[in-house]
Amino acid sequence: MTLLDSLRGPQDLKGLGPEELTVLAAEIRDRLISTVSANSGHLGPNLGVVELTIALHRVFDSPRDPLVFDTGHQSYVHKLLTGRQAEFGTLRQPGGMSGYPSRAESAHDHVENSHASTSMSYADGLAKAFRLRGELDRTAVAVIGDGALTGGMAWEALNNIAAAKDNRVVIVVNDNGRSYAPTHGALAAHLAHVRTTRRYESVLDSVKTTLPRAPLVGTPLYETLHGIKKGIKDVLQPQVMFEDLGLKYVGPIDGHDEAGVERALADARGFGGPVIVHVLTRKGYGYPPAENNDEDRLHQVAAGTDPLTGTTVKAAARTWSHVFADEILRIAGRRQDVVAITAAMLHPTGLAPFAAAYPDRVFDVGIAEQHAVTSAAGLAMGGMHPVVALYSTFLNRAFDQVLMDVALHRLPVTFVLDRAGVTGPDGASHNGMWDGSLGQLVPGLRIAAPRDALRLAELLAEAVDDSTGPTLLRFPKAPAGDEVPGLGRLGGMDVVARPAEGLATDVLLVGAGVMAGVCADAAGRLADQGIGALAVDPRWVKPVDPALTAAARDARLVVTVEDNGIAGGFGDAVARTLRLAGVDTPVIPFALPQEFLDHDTRRDILERAGLTGRDIARSVTEAVSGRGSQDEVVGSR
């Protein structure tokens, strides 16, 4: 049995000696590399916090002292040290361990999160609650990376934490110079200077060793200089920024020196008020393939990665992100006014080729989606056409900016949402199942959903060519797949399946985006049952095409299919449009259930939601034949 496997929980760490801690750190890294390479997940971030996490659990008393990991993608070491070693092999597998903190898994996980810049707000609230309850020996700990510090919410929290001098909050800044890729912005440059400047330490060392030996004035003078060390820091090292906010600052500390980190954390815990402990770590530490990866230090690896080399064994399929990367580069070549904005996701969203070709026209604003959207509004006001590329789940954080800063001004900004719909193993917080509903609320926003790679190119070009107001393009995290051919046009919609010869149009199937292919499959299955189905791809799911209203008048049933939450999405928009037009044809919406979905494969989640051609054909057959009421069919989705 390894030392790691012998641990029953964090308390067992406290009795280990230095040599055992070194062995434990090596065993943890071995387990991380073998498991994450096989299952997929976040590798680089966890390799970088091994010693830090060990020290955290040796100093603090989890779960009584809550450890809140910002974003949560560096929580695997925490999971291994809190009694979940036996289940770690199920990481990100169906029914297995979550890739993020999970309250259902352990009392040591206080927060279920994967959206950045939130940890200090949680810690602020927890510390306030402890004080109000008289639990004055409890400390709230926030572990936040320098990448997450680029988010405005982090600074809102700091503003409040600094004002509450008696609240026991320890903020651990895990500073590795990266979020997904190298961190950008003035704060990043500020912290980078801390990492590379040693003049401050050398000056203080000289003062400490020389002045106390001077007769009579030596000790008093040293105390005076010690009292004005903040001034020395101002000149020689920019860490004073935190102390200017009124926060006690400790650091910078070598994050891979477990004993040094432990001493700093113990001092912070004993302070009794808000403290920032600045820890310098290296993302991917101890694993050469990660340390030598300049793009993202193997931030996230796919299942089946070779643990010896860090390379994917199976060739990666061409994804929707790759298609977007090619198309936006082509558009940028012919449109000098097109610029791109992303929030710390240059490579994941496919903007890296654009940035390489036109570096002055791509802006990575860090983890700051709200700023990204309003900055895009300013660019549009200045005569440019911004393309804001984000993961779908992260646009949720900037809804007010989309509504009030872009749409209210009818500005030509194009939002490109990667990872829309079901993302699968990344879990509940990453599924992009909300944007389709939020977008329906925004006046003047047009929403496009391509069914295949060819349509992505077409719709992206149409979106960028629209100068009348904002547009939004959404696509999933998946291989781009085969083309779903169009058989003609119905208004602005593409027909993807017609009723078989001799059959009337009993059912109008309307599939948003990739669900158009599912509708084409369902139409073929319905034909086998003698039911005529016309399947269309609306291409633009907002506004609803007037031709859809006309076609609905001639059908016995309208079925909408989307990979978005069922409440307030495309299906609701179609039903409302038909109602207002006086069309009484029943509408059955197929969509994702309005709930937080457990992590699983994308395919299995869609199957459980009934979003397959087989399930839709069966439900529609029952509805048309009268074997199931409309309410029963809708209620099953």
Side-chain angles (χ1 to χ4, degrees), residues 246-324:
L247 292 159
K248 178 68 176 176
Y249 175 93
V250 179
I253 309 296
D254 179 356
H256 302 296
D257 173 7
E258 193 281 331
V261 175
E262 194 173 320
R263 285 192 297 271
L265 292 175
D267 288 345
R269 184 181 189 186
F271 182 68
V275 183
I276 283 185
V277 180
H278 186 183
V279 179
L280 307 182
T281 63
R282 288 163 58 190
K283 192 173 182 178
Y285 182 77
Y287 183 44
E291 292 193 72
N292 296 329
N293 183 283
D294 289 332
E295 180 178 315
D296 64 359
R297 298 291 191 268
L298 297 187
H299 178 86
Q300 186 165 6
V301 299
T305 295
D306 184 345
L308 295 178
T309 65
T311 57
T312 304
V313 176
K314 185 172 65 173
R318 182 170 169 78
T319 66
W320 290 87
S321 306
H322 293 136
V323 177
F324 166 69

Side-chain angles (χ1 to χ4, degrees), residues 40-107:
S40 81
H42 295 97
L43 184 56
N46 286 283
L47 291 170
V49 298
V50 174
E51 289 82 7
L52 171 58
T53 310
I54 291 172
L56 283 165
H57 277 293
R58 279 170 60 85
V59 171
F60 298 99
D61 182 20
S62 177
R64 182 168 176 76
D65 294 329
L67 306 181
V68 181
F69 292 89
D70 202 287
T71 312
H73 58 221
Q74 77 290 53
S75 63
Y76 297 177
V77 185
H78 166 75
K79 289 173 183 275
L80 287 169
L81 295 176
T82 51
R84 286 173 271 181
Q85 307 95 310
E87 294 80 31
F88 195 66
T90 68
L91 181 73
R92 291 169 55 89
Q93 301 303 295
M97 185 178 291
S98 170
Y100 290 94
S102 170
R103 290 163 65 94
E105 283 180 15
S106 173

Side-chain angles (χ1 to χ4, degrees), residues 201-461:
E201 284 82 355
S202 64
V203 168
L204 281 191
D205 285 345
S206 176
V207 169
K208 289 177 183 178
T209 57
T210 304
L211 286 181
R213 294 199 297 270
L216 298 178
V217 299
T219 298
L221 183 55
Y222 167 69
E223 294 298 334
T224 301
L225 283 176
H226 185 72
I228 63 168
K229 68 177 182 178
K230 180 177 176 182
I232 297 174
K233 288 181 185 180
D234 253 335
V235 175
L236 298 175
Q237 198 168 18
Q239 64 198 39
V240 70
M241 170 182 64
F242 294 112
E243 291 190 350
D244 280 345
L245 293 172
L247 292 159
K248 178 68 176 176
Y249 175 93
V250 179
I253 309 296
D254 179 356
H256 302 296
D257 173 7
E258 193 281 331
V261 175
E262 194 173 320
R263 285 192 297 271
L265 292 175
D267 288 345
R269 184 181 189 186
F271 182 68
V275 183
I276 283 185
V277 180
H278 186 183
V279 179
L280 307 182
T281 63
R282 288 163 58 190
K283 192 173 182 178
Y285 182 77
Y287 183 44
E291 292 193 72
N292 296 329
N293 183 283
D294 289 332
E295 180 178 315
D296 64 359
R297 298 291 191 268
L298 297 187
H299 178 86
Q300 186 165 6
V301 299
T305 295
D306 184 345
L308 295 178
T309 65
T311 57
T312 304
V313 176
K314 185 172 65 173
R318 182 170 169 78
T319 66
W320 290 87
S321 306
H322 293 136
V323 177
F324 166 69
D326 292 342
E327 293 306 318
I328 192 63
L329 185 60
R330 290 193 185 98
I331 290 172
R334 66 174 185 266
R335 286 274 301 271
Q336 297 300 308
D337 63 324
V338 170
V339 296
I341 302 176
T342 190
M345 290 191 173
L346 193 70
H347 290 275
T349 58
L351 286 179
F354 188 159
Y358 308 103
D360 294 339
R361 292 163 57 190
V362 175
F363 307 98
D364 186 342
V365 301
I367 302 176
E369 291 85 1
Q370 293 172 299
H371 166 62
V373 172
T374 304
S375 179
L379 280 160
M381 288 175 176
M384 309 303 287
H385 189 110
V387 175
V388 181
L390 304 169
Y391 284 7
S392 167
T393 183
F394 298 136
L395 186 70
N396 304 347
R397 315 185 79 183
F399 174 74
D400 182 68
Q401 286 68 33
V402 173
L403 182 68
M404 294 299 176
D405 300 341
V406 173
L408 179 64
H409 299 93
R410 299 177 179 85
L411 294 171
V413 176
T414 295
F415 299 96
V416 175
L417 302 188
D418 203 326
R419 273 69 165 174
V422 172
T423 58
D426 286 325
S429 59
H430 263 56
N431 287 319
M433 54 179 288
W434 320 105
D435 66 89
S437 301
L438 293 174
Q440 290 289 341
L441 299 174
V442 180
L445 175 69
R446 299 176 63 219
I447 303 175
R451 68 180 183 270
D452 56 27
L454 178 60
R455 255 47 65 164
L456 190 158
E458 291 176 357
L459 289 168
L460 179 61

Side-chain angles (χ1 to χ4, degrees), residues 519-566:
C519 286
D521 177 41
R525 295 172 183 270
L526 288 169
D528 293 340
Q529 303 298 318
I531 298 172
L534 174 66
V536 298
D537 167 16
R539 301 177 75 251
W540 290 91
V541 297
K542 180 177 185 283
V544 174
D545 195 311
L548 193 154
T549 303
R553 293 184 189 275
D554 299 327
R556 295 171 55 192
L557 181 68
V558 175
V559 174
T560 63
V561 188
E562 61 188 306
D563 56 346
N564 183 75
I566 196 167

Side-chain angles (χ1 to χ4, degrees), residues 169-184:
V169 178
V170 173
I171 300 164
V172 180
V173 177
N174 173 33
D175 181 5
N176 60 23
R178 289 175 169 264
S179 47
Y180 285 79
T183 310
H184 294 280

